[in-house]
Coordinates of all heavy atoms in Angstrom, one line a residue:
M1470 N 101.8 -3.6 -19.4 CA 100.5 -3.1 -19.2 C 100.4 -2.4 -17.8 O 100.9 -2.8 -16.8 CB 99.6 -4.3 -19.2 CG 98.0 -3.8 -19.0 SD 96.8 -5.1 -19.1 CE 96.7 -5.5 -20.8
S1471 N 100.0 -1.2 -18.1 CA 99.9 -0.2 -16.7 C 98.7 -0.5 -15.8 O 97.8 -1.4 -16.3 CB 99.7 1.2 -17.2 OG 98.5 1.4 -17.7
R1472 N 98.8 -0.1 -14.7 CA 97.8 -0.4 -13.7 C 96.5 0.0 -14.1 O 95.5 -0.7 -13.9 CB 98.1 0.3 -12.3 CG 97.2 0.0 -11.3 CD 97.6 0.8 -10.0 NE 96.6 0.5 -9.0 CZ 96.7 1.0 -7.8 NH1 97.7 1.7 -7.4 NH2 95.7 0.8 -6.9
S1473 N 96.3 1.2 -14.9 CA 95.0 1.7 -15.4 C 94.6 0.9 -16.5 O 93.3 0.8 -16.8 CB 95.2 3.2 -15.8 OG 96.0 3.3 -16.9
E1474 N 95.5 0.1 -17.3 CA 95.0 -0.7 -18.4 C 94.6 -2.1 -17.8 O 93.7 -2.7 -18.4 CB 96.2 -0.9 -19.2 CG 96.6 0.3 -20.1 CD 97.7 0.1 -20.9 OE1 98.7 -0.5 -20.4 OE2 97.8 0.6 -22.0
R1475 N 95.1 -2.5 -16.6 CA 94.7 -3.7 -16.0 C 93.4 -3.7 -15.3 O 92.7 -4.6 -15.2 CB 95.8 -4.3 -15.0 CG 97.0 -4.8 -15.7 CD 97.9 -5.6 -14.7 NE 98.1 -4.8 -13.5 CZ 99.3 -4.1 -13.3 NH1 100.1 -3.9 -14.3 NH2 99.4 -3.3 -12.2
S1476 N 93.1 -2.4 -14.6 CA 92.1 -2.3 -13.8 C 90.7 -2.7 -14.4 O 89.9 -3.5 -13.7 CB 91.9 -0.8 -13.4 OG 90.8 -0.6 -12.4
P1477 N 90.3 -2.4 -15.7 CA 89.0 -2.8 -16.2 C 89.0 -4.2 -16.4 O 88.0 -4.9 -16.3 CB 88.9 -2.0 -17.5 CG 90.2 -1.3 -17.8 CD 91.0 -1.3 -16.4
L1478 N 90.2 -4.8 -16.8 CA 90.3 -6.3 -16.9 C 90.1 -7.1 -15.6 O 89.6 -8.2 -15.6 CB 91.5 -6.6 -17.8 CG 91.8 -6.0 -19.1 CD1 93.0 -6.4 -19.7 CD2 90.5 -6.3 -20.0
L1479 N 90.8 -6.5 -14.7 CA 90.5 -7.2 -13.4 C 89.0 -7.2 -12.8 O 88.5 -8.1 -12.3 CB 91.5 -6.5 -12.3 CG 93.0 -6.9 -12.5 CD1 93.8 -5.9 -11.6 CD2 93.2 -8.4 -12.4
L1480 N 88.4 -6.0 -13.1 CA 87.0 -5.9 -12.7 C 86.1 -6.8 -13.6 O 85.3 -7.5 -13.1 CB 86.6 -4.4 -12.8 CG 85.1 -4.1 -12.5 CD1 84.9 -4.5 -10.9 CD2 84.8 -2.6 -12.7
A1481 N 86.5 -6.9 -14.8 CA 85.9 -7.8 -15.7 C 86.0 -9.3 -15.3 O 85.0 -10.0 -15.3 CB 86.3 -7.7 -17.1
G1482 N 87.2 -9.6 -14.9 CA 87.5 -10.9 -14.3 C 86.6 -11.3 -13.1 O 86.2 -12.4 -12.9
L1483 N 86.6 -10.3 -12.1 CA 85.7 -10.4 -10.8 C 84.3 -10.7 -11.3 O 83.7 -11.7 -10.7 CB 85.9 -9.3 -10.1 CG 85.0 -9.1 -8.8 CD1 85.7 -10.0 -7.7 CD2 84.9 -7.8 -8.3
L1484 N 83.9 -9.8 -12.2 CA 82.4 -10.1 -12.5 C 82.2 -11.4 -13.3 O 81.1 -12.0 -13.0 CB 81.8 -8.9 -13.4 CG 81.5 -7.6 -12.6 CD1 81.6 -6.4 -13.6 CD2 80.3 -7.8 -11.9
A1485 N 83.1 -11.7 -14.2 CA 83.0 -13.0 -14.9 C 83.1 -14.2 -14.0 O 82.1 -15.1 -14.2 CB 84.1 -13.1 -16.0
A1486 N 83.9 -14.2 -13.0 CA 83.9 -15.3 -12.1 C 82.6 -15.3 -11.2 O 82.1 -16.5 -10.9 CB 85.2 -15.0 -11.1
A1487 N 82.2 -14.2 -10.8 CA 80.9 -14.1 -10.1 C 79.7 -14.7 -10.9 O 78.9 -15.5 -10.5 CB 80.6 -12.8 -9.6
G1488 N 79.8 -14.3 -12.3 CA 78.6 -14.8 -13.1 C 78.6 -16.2 -13.3 O 77.6 -16.9 -13.2
V1489 N 79.9 -16.8 -13.6 CA 80.0 -18.2 -13.7 C 79.6 -19.0 -12.3 O 78.9 -20.0 -12.4 CB 81.5 -18.7 -14.1 CG1 81.6 -20.1 -13.9 CG2 81.8 -18.2 -15.3
A1490 N 79.8 -18.4 -11.2 CA 79.4 -19.0 -10.0 C 77.9 -19.0 -9.7 O 77.5 -20.0 -9.3 CB 80.1 -18.2 -8.8
H1491 N 77.3 -18.1 -10.3 CA 75.7 -18.1 -10.3 C 75.1 -19.3 -11.0 O 74.1 -19.8 -10.6 CB 75.2 -16.7 -10.8 CG 75.3 -15.5 -9.9 ND1 76.4 -14.9 -9.6 CD2 74.2 -15.0 -9.2 CE1 76.0 -14.0 -8.7 NE2 74.8 -14.0 -8.5
F1492 N 75.9 -19.8 -12.1 CA 75.4 -20.8 -12.8 C 75.9 -22.1 -12.2 O 75.2 -23.3 -12.3 CB 75.7 -20.8 -14.3 CG 74.9 -19.6 -14.9 CD1 75.4 -18.3 -15.1 CD2 73.7 -19.8 -15.4 CE1 74.7 -17.3 -15.7 CE2 73.0 -18.8 -16.0 CZ 73.4 -17.6 -16.1
A1493 N 77.1 -22.1 -11.6 CA 77.7 -23.4 -11.2 C 77.1 -23.7 -9.8 O 77.0 -25.0 -9.5 CB 79.3 -23.1 -11.1
A1494 N 76.8 -22.8 -9.0 CA 76.2 -23.1 -7.7 C 75.1 -22.2 -7.4 O 75.2 -21.4 -6.5 CB 77.3 -23.0 -6.7
P1495 N 74.1 -22.3 -8.1 CA 72.9 -21.3 -7.9 C 72.2 -21.4 -6.6 O 71.7 -20.3 -6.1 CB 71.9 -21.7 -9.1 CG 72.3 -23.2 -9.3 CD 73.7 -23.3 -9.1
R1496 N 72.2 -22.6 -5.9 CA 71.6 -22.6 -4.7 C 71.9 -21.7 -3.6 O 71.2 -21.0 -3.0 CB 71.6 -24.1 -4.1 CG 70.7 -24.4 -2.9 CD 70.7 -25.7 -2.4 NE 70.4 -26.6 -3.5 CZ 70.4 -27.9 -3.6 NH1 71.1 -28.6 -2.6 NH2 70.1 -28.6 -4.5
S1497 N 73.2 -21.5 -3.5 CA 73.7 -20.5 -2.5 C 73.3 -19.0 -2.9 O 73.2 -18.3 -1.9 CB 75.3 -20.7 -2.4 OG 75.9 -20.3 -3.7
F1498 N 73.2 -18.9 -4.2 CA 72.8 -17.5 -4.4 C 71.2 -17.3 -4.3 O 70.7 -16.1 -3.9 CB 73.2 -17.0 -5.8 CG 74.6 -17.0 -6.1 CD1 75.4 -18.1 -6.5 CD2 75.2 -15.8 -5.8 CE1 76.8 -18.0 -6.6 CE2 76.7 -15.6 -5.9 CZ 77.4 -16.7 -6.3
D1499 N 70.5 -18.4 -4.5 CA 69.0 -18.3 -4.3 C 68.7 -17.8 -2.9 O 67.7 -17.1 -2.8 CB 68.4 -19.8 -4.6 CG 68.6 -20.3 -6.0 OD1 68.8 -19.4 -6.9 OD2 68.2 -21.4 -6.3
A1500 N 69.4 -18.2 -2.0 CA 69.0 -17.9 -0.6 C 69.2 -16.5 -0.3 O 68.7 -15.9 0.7 CB 70.0 -18.8 0.3
T1501 N 69.9 -15.7 -1.1 CA 70.3 -14.3 -0.8 C 69.2 -13.4 -1.6 O 69.1 -12.2 -1.3 CB 71.6 -13.8 -1.4 OG1 71.7 -13.9 -2.8 CG2 72.7 -14.7 -0.9
I1502 N 68.2 -14.0 -2.5 CA 67.3 -13.1 -3.1 C 66.2 -12.7 -2.1 O 65.6 -13.6 -1.4 CB 66.6 -14.0 -4.2 CG1 67.7 -14.5 -5.2 CG2 65.6 -13.2 -5.0 CD1 68.6 -13.5 -5.8
P1503 N 65.9 -11.4 -2.1 CA 65.0 -10.9 -1.2 C 63.6 -11.5 -1.6 O 63.2 -11.5 -2.7 CB 65.0 -9.3 -1.4 CG 66.3 -9.1 -1.8 CD 66.8 -10.3 -2.6
R1504 N 62.9 -11.8 -0.6 CA 61.5 -12.4 -0.8 C 60.6 -11.5 -1.4 O 59.6 -12.0 -2.2 CB 61.0 -12.9 0.6 CG 61.7 -14.0 1.2 CD 61.0 -14.4 2.6 NE 62.0 -15.4 3.2 CZ 63.0 -15.2 4.1 NH1 63.2 -13.8 4.3 NH2 63.8 -16.0 4.6
G1505 N 60.6 -10.3 -1.4 CA 59.6 -9.4 -2.0 C 59.7 -9.3 -3.6 O 58.9 -8.7 -4.1
L1506 N 60.8 -9.8 -4.1 CA 60.8 -9.7 -5.6 C 59.9 -10.7 -6.3 O 59.8 -11.8 -5.7 CB 62.3 -10.1 -6.0 CG 63.4 -9.0 -5.6 CD1 64.7 -9.4 -6.0 CD2 63.1 -7.7 -6.2
P1507 N 59.4 -10.3 -7.4 CA 58.4 -11.1 -8.1 C 59.3 -12.4 -8.7 O 60.5 -12.3 -9.0 CB 57.8 -10.3 -9.2 CG 58.8 -9.3 -9.3 CD 59.4 -9.1 -8.0
G1508 N 58.6 -13.5 -9.0 CA 59.3 -14.5 -9.7 C 60.1 -15.4 -8.7 O 59.9 -15.3 -7.5
T1509 N 60.8 -16.4 -9.2 CA 61.4 -17.4 -8.3 C 63.0 -16.9 -8.0 O 63.4 -16.1 -8.9 CB 61.5 -18.7 -8.9 OG1 62.4 -18.6 -10.1 CG2 60.1 -19.2 -9.4
P1510 N 63.5 -17.2 -6.9 CA 64.9 -16.9 -6.6 C 65.7 -17.3 -7.7 O 66.8 -16.6 -8.1 CB 65.1 -17.5 -5.2 CG 63.7 -17.5 -4.6 CD 62.8 -17.8 -5.6
R1511 N 65.5 -18.5 -8.3 CA 66.4 -19.1 -9.3 C 66.5 -18.3 -10.5 O 67.6 -18.0 -11.0 CB 66.0 -20.5 -9.6 CG 66.9 -21.3 -10.6 CD 68.4 -21.4 -10.1 NE 68.5 -22.0 -8.8 CZ 68.7 -23.3 -8.5 NH1 68.7 -24.2 -9.5 NH2 68.9 -23.7 -7.3
T1512 N 65.3 -17.7 -10.9 CA 65.3 -16.7 -12.1 C 66.1 -15.6 -11.8 O 66.9 -15.1 -12.6 CB 63.8 -16.3 -12.3 OG1 63.0 -17.5 -12.6 CG2 63.7 -15.3 -13.4
W1513 N 66.1 -15.1 -10.6 CA 66.9 -13.8 -10.2 C 68.3 -14.1 -10.2 O 69.2 -13.4 -10.6 CB 66.4 -13.2 -8.8 CG 65.1 -12.4 -9.0 CD1 63.9 -12.9 -8.8 CD2 65.0 -11.1 -9.6 NE1 63.0 -11.9 -9.1 CE2 63.6 -10.9 -9.6 CE3 65.9 -10.2 -10.1 CZ2 63.1 -9.7 -10.1 CZ3 65.4 -8.9 -10.6 CH2 64.1 -8.7 -10.5
T1514 N 68.6 -15.4 -9.6 CA 70.0 -15.8 -9.7 C 70.6 -15.9 -11.0 O 71.7 -15.4 -11.4 CB 70.1 -17.2 -8.9 OG1 69.8 -17.1 -7.5 CG2 71.6 -17.8 -9.0
Y1515 N 69.9 -16.6 -12.0 CA 70.4 -16.8 -13.2 C 70.5 -15.3 -14.0 O 71.5 -15.1 -14.7 CB 69.5 -17.6 -14.1 CG 69.8 -19.1 -13.8 CD1 68.8 -20.1 -13.9 CD2 71.0 -19.6 -13.2 CE1 68.8 -21.4 -13.6 CE2 71.1 -20.9 -12.9 CZ 70.1 -21.8 -13.1 OH 70.2 -23.1 -12.7
A1516 N 69.4 -14.4 -13.8 CA 69.5 -13.1 -14.4 C 70.7 -12.4 -13.9 O 71.3 -11.7 -14.7 CB 68.1 -12.4 -14.1
S1517 N 71.0 -12.4 -12.6 CA 72.1 -11.7 -12.0 C 73.4 -12.3 -12.6 O 74.4 -11.5 -13.1 CB 72.0 -11.9 -10.4 OG 73.2 -11.2 -10.0
G1518 N 73.5 -13.5 -12.8 CA 74.7 -14.1 -13.3 C 74.9 -13.8 -14.8 O 76.0 -13.5 -15.1
A1519 N 73.9 -13.8 -15.5 CA 73.9 -13.3 -17.0 C 74.2 -11.8 -16.9 O 75.1 -11.4 -17.9 CB 72.6 -13.6 -17.5
A1520 N 73.8 -11.0 -16.2 CA 74.1 -9.7 -16.2 C 75.6 -9.4 -15.7 O 76.3 -8.7 -16.5 CB 73.3 -8.9 -15.1
E1521 N 76.0 -10.2 -14.9 CA 77.6 -10.1 -14.5 C 78.5 -10.5 -15.7 O 79.5 -9.9 -16.0 CB 77.9 -11.0 -13.4 CG 77.3 -10.3 -12.0 CD 77.5 -11.3 -10.8 OE1 77.2 -12.4 -11.0 OE2 77.6 -10.8 -9.8
L1522 N 78.0 -11.5 -16.4 CA 78.7 -12.0 -17.6 C 78.7 -10.9 -18.6 O 79.8 -10.7 -19.4 CB 78.3 -13.4 -18.1 CG 78.6 -14.5 -17.2 CD1 77.7 -15.8 -17.5 CD2 80.0 -14.8 -17.0
A1523 N 77.6 -10.4 -18.8 CA 77.5 -9.3 -20.0 C 78.3 -8.1 -19.5 O 79.0 -7.5 -20.4 CB 76.0 -8.9 -20.0
L1524 N 78.3 -7.8 -18.2 CA 79.1 -6.5 -17.8 C 80.6 -6.8 -18.0 O 81.3 -6.0 -18.4 CB 78.7 -6.2 -16.2 CG 77.4 -5.7 -16.1 CD1 77.1 -5.7 -14.6 CD2 77.3 -4.3 -16.7
A1525 N 80.9 -8.1 -17.7 CA 82.4 -8.4 -17.8 C 82.8 -8.4 -19.3 O 83.7 -7.8 -19.6 CB 82.6 -9.9 -17.4
A1526 N 82.0 -8.8 -20.2 CA 82.3 -8.7 -21.6 C 82.4 -7.2 -22.1 O 83.2 -6.9 -22.8 CB 81.1 -9.4 -22.5
G1527 N 81.5 -6.4 -21.5 CA 81.4 -4.9 -21.9 C 82.7 -4.3 -21.3 O 83.3 -3.5 -22.0
L1528 N 83.2 -4.7 -20.2 CA 84.4 -4.0 -19.6 C 85.6 -4.5 -20.3 O 86.6 -3.7 -20.4 CB 84.4 -4.5 -18.1 CG 83.5 -3.8 -17.2 CD1 83.4 -4.6 -15.8 CD2 83.9 -2.3 -16.9
A1529 N 85.5 -5.7 -20.9 CA 86.7 -6.2 -21.7 C 87.0 -5.5 -23.0 O 88.2 -5.4 -23.4 CB 86.7 -7.7 -21.8
A1530 N 86.0 -5.1 -23.4 CA 86.1 -4.3 -24.8 C 86.2 -2.8 -24.6 O 85.4 -2.2 -24.0 CB 84.9 -4.6 -25.6
P1531 N 87.2 -2.2 -25.1 CA 87.5 -0.8 -24.9 C 86.3 0.0 -25.4 O 86.0 1.0 -24.9 CB 88.8 -0.5 -25.8 CG 89.5 -1.8 -25.7 CD 88.5 -2.9 -25.8
R1532 N 85.7 -0.4 -26.5 CA 84.6 0.4 -27.1 C 83.4 0.5 -26.2 O 82.7 1.5 -26.2 CB 84.3 -0.2 -28.4 CG 83.9 0.8 -29.4 CD 83.7 0.3 -30.8 NE 82.3 0.1 -30.9 CZ 81.7 -0.6 -31.9 NH1 82.5 -1.0 -33.0 NH2 80.4 -0.8 -32.1
T1533 N 83.2 -0.5 -25.4 CA 82.0 -0.5 -24.6 C 82.3 -0.4 -23.2 O 81.4 -0.5 -22.2 CB 81.2 -1.8 -24.8 OG1 82.0 -2.9 -24.6 CG2 80.6 -2.0 -26.2
R1534 N 83.6 0.0 -22.8 CA 84.0 -0.1 -21.5 C 83.3 0.9 -20.6 O 82.9 0.7 -19.4 CB 85.5 0.2 -21.4 CG 86.1 0.0 -20.0 CD 87.6 -0.1 -20.2 NE 87.9 -1.5 -20.7 CZ 89.1 -1.7 -21.3 NH1 90.0 -0.7 -21.5 NH2 89.3 -2.9 -21.9
K1535 N 83.3 2.1 -21.1 CA 82.7 3.3 -20.3 C 81.3 3.0 -19.9 O 80.9 3.0 -18.6 CB 82.8 4.5 -21.0 CG 82.3 5.7 -20.0 CD 82.6 7.1 -20.7 CE 82.2 8.2 -19.8 NZ 82.7 9.5 -20.4
A1536 N 80.4 2.5 -20.8 CA 79.0 2.2 -20.5 C 78.9 1.0 -19.6 O 78.1 1.0 -18.6 CB 78.3 2.0 -21.8
A1537 N 79.8 0.0 -19.8 CA 79.7 -1.2 -19.0 C 80.2 -0.8 -17.6 O 79.7 -1.5 -16.6 CB 80.6 -2.3 -19.6
A1538 N 81.1 0.1 -17.5 CA 81.6 0.3 -16.1 C 80.5 1.1 -15.3 O 80.4 0.9 -14.2 CB 82.9 1.2 -16.2
L1539 N 79.8 2.1 -16.0 CA 78.7 2.8 -15.4 C 77.7 1.8 -15.0 O 77.1 1.8 -13.8 CB 78.3 3.9 -16.3 CG 79.2 5.0 -16.4 CD1 78.7 6.0 -17.5 CD2 79.5 5.8 -15.1
A1540 N 77.3 0.8 -15.9 CA 76.3 -0.2 -15.6 C 76.8 -1.1 -14.5 O 75.9 -1.6 -13.6 CB 75.9 -1.0 -16.9
S1541 N 78.0 -1.3 -14.3 CA 78.7 -2.1 -13.3 C 78.3 -1.4 -11.9 O 78.1 -2.1 -10.9 CB 80.0 -2.5 -13.5 OG 80.2 -3.2 -14.6
A1542 N 78.7 -0.3 -11.9 CA 78.6 0.6 -10.7 C 77.1 0.5 -10.2 O 76.8 0.2 -9.0 CB 79.1 2.0 -10.9
A1543 N 76.2 0.7 -11.1 CA 74.7 0.6 -10.8 C 74.4 -0.8 -10.3 O 73.5 -1.0 -9.3 CB 73.8 1.0 -12.0
F1544 N 74.9 -1.8 -11.0 CA 74.6 -3.3 -10.7 C 75.1 -3.4 -9.1 O 74.4 -4.0 -8.3 CB 75.4 -4.2 -11.6 CG 75.2 -5.6 -11.3 CD1 74.0 -6.3 -11.7 CD2 76.2 -6.3 -10.5 CE1 74.0 -7.6 -11.5 CE2 76.1 -7.6 -10.1 CZ 74.9 -8.3 -10.6
F1545 N 76.2 -2.9 -8.8 CA 76.8 -3.2 -7.4 C 75.8 -2.6 -6.5 O 75.7 -3.1 -5.3 CB 78.1 -2.6 -7.3 CG 79.2 -3.4 -8.1 CD1 80.2 -2.9 -8.8 CD2 79.2 -4.7 -8.1 CE1 81.3 -3.5 -9.5 CE2 80.2 -5.5 -8.8 CZ 81.1 -4.9 -9.4
V1546 N 75.3 -1.5 -6.8 CA 74.3 -0.8 -5.9 C 73.1 -1.7 -5.7 O 72.4 -1.8 -4.7 CB 74.0 0.7 -6.4 CG1 72.7 1.3 -5.5 CG2 75.2 1.5 -6.2
G1547 N 72.6 -2.2 -7.1 CA 71.4 -2.9 -7.1 C 71.4 -4.2 -6.4 O 70.4 -4.7 -5.9
V1548 N 72.5 -4.7 -6.2 CA 72.7 -6.2 -5.6 C 72.9 -6.0 -4.0 O 72.8 -6.9 -3.2 CB 73.7 -7.0 -6.2 CG1 73.4 -7.4 -7.6 CG2 75.1 -6.4 -6.0
F1549 N 73.0 -4.7 -3.5 CA 73.3 -4.6 -2.1 C 72.1 -5.1 -1.2 O 72.5 -5.7 -0.2 CB 73.5 -3.1 -1.8 CG 73.9 -2.7 -0.5 CD1 75.2 -3.0 -0.1 CD2 73.0 -2.2 0.5 CE1 75.6 -2.8 1.2 CE2 73.4 -1.8 1.7 CZ 74.7 -2.2 2.2
P1550 N 70.9 -5.0 -1.5 CA 69.9 -5.5 -0.7 C 70.1 -7.1 -0.6 O 69.7 -7.7 0.6 CB 68.5 -5.3 -1.5 CG 68.8 -4.0 -2.2 CD 70.2 -4.2 -2.7
A1551 N 70.6 -7.9 -1.6 CA 70.8 -9.3 -1.4 C 72.0 -9.6 -0.5 O 71.8 -10.5 0.5 CB 71.2 -9.8 -2.8
N1552 N 73.0 -8.6 -0.5 CA 74.0 -8.8 0.6 C 73.4 -8.4 2.0 O 73.9 -9.1 2.9 CB 75.1 -7.9 0.2 CG 75.9 -8.3 -1.0 OD1 75.7 -9.3 -1.5 ND2 76.6 -7.3 -1.7
V1553 N 72.6 -7.5 2.1 CA 72.0 -7.2 3.5 C 71.3 -8.4 3.9 O 71.3 -8.7 5.0 CB 71.3 -5.9 3.4 CG1 70.3 -5.7 4.6 CG2 72.0 -4.6 3.1
K1554 N 70.4 -9.0 3.1 CA 69.6 -10.2 3.4 C 70.5 -11.3 3.8 O 70.3 -12.0 4.9 CB 68.8 -10.6 2.3 CG 67.9 -11.8 2.5 CD 67.0 -12.3 1.4 CE 66.2 -13.4 1.7 NZ 66.7 -14.6 2.3
M1555 N 71.6 -11.5 3.1 CA 72.6 -12.6 3.4 C 73.0 -12.4 4.9 O 73.1 -13.2 5.7 CB 73.6 -12.7 2.5 CG 74.7 -13.8 2.7 SD 76.0 -13.8 1.6 CE 77.0 -15.1 2.2
A1556 N 73.5 -11.1 5.2 CA 74.2 -10.8 6.4 C 73.1 -11.0 7.6 O 73.3 -11.5 8.7 CB 74.5 -9.3 6.4
A1557 N 71.8 -10.5 7.3 CA 70.7 -10.8 8.2 C 70.5 -12.2 8.6 O 70.3 -12.8 9.7 CB 69.5 -10.2 7.9
D1558 N 70.4 -13.0 7.4 CA 70.1 -14.5 7.5 C 71.2 -15.3 8.3 O 71.0 -16.2 8.9 CB 69.8 -15.0 6.2 CG 68.5 -14.6 5.5 OD1 67.7 -14.1 6.2 OD2 68.4 -14.8 4.2
W1559 N 72.5 -14.7 8.1 CA 73.7 -15.3 8.7 C 74.1 -14.9 10.0 O 75.1 -15.2 10.5 CB 74.9 -15.3 7.7 CG 74.7 -16.2 6.4 CD1 73.7 -16.6 5.9 CD2 75.8 -16.6 5.7 NE1 73.8 -17.4 4.7 CE2 75.1 -17.4 4.6 CE3 77.1 -16.5 5.7 CZ2 75.9 -18.0 3.7 CZ3 77.9 -17.1 4.8 CH2 77.5 -17.9 3.7

Side-chain angles (χ1 to χ4, degrees):
M1470 181 179 282
S1471 72
R1472 182 177 177 181
S1473 65
E1474 291 171 326
R1475 282 191 315 267
S1476 182
L1478 300 179
L1479 292 171
L1480 184 57
L1483 175 79
L1484 282 161
V1489 168
H1491 278 71
F1492 289 96
R1496 187 175 302 164
S1497 61
F1498 294 96
D1499 292 347
T1501 68
I1502 305 300
R1504 289 180 191 88
L1506 292 175
T1509 66
R1511 183 60 52 93
T1512 299
W1513 285 99
T1514 294
Y1515 287 155
S1517 178
E1521 288 169 323
L1522 292 171
L1524 291 168
L1528 286 164
R1532 216 172 92 186
T1533 56
R1534 185 167 291 153
K1535 185 172 186 175
L1539 292 171
S1541 296
F1544 179 83
F1545 292 136
V1546 171
V1548 298
F1549 187 71
N1552 292 340
V1553 170
K1554 181 183 182 306
M1555 180 181 178
D1558 290 348
W1559 286 25

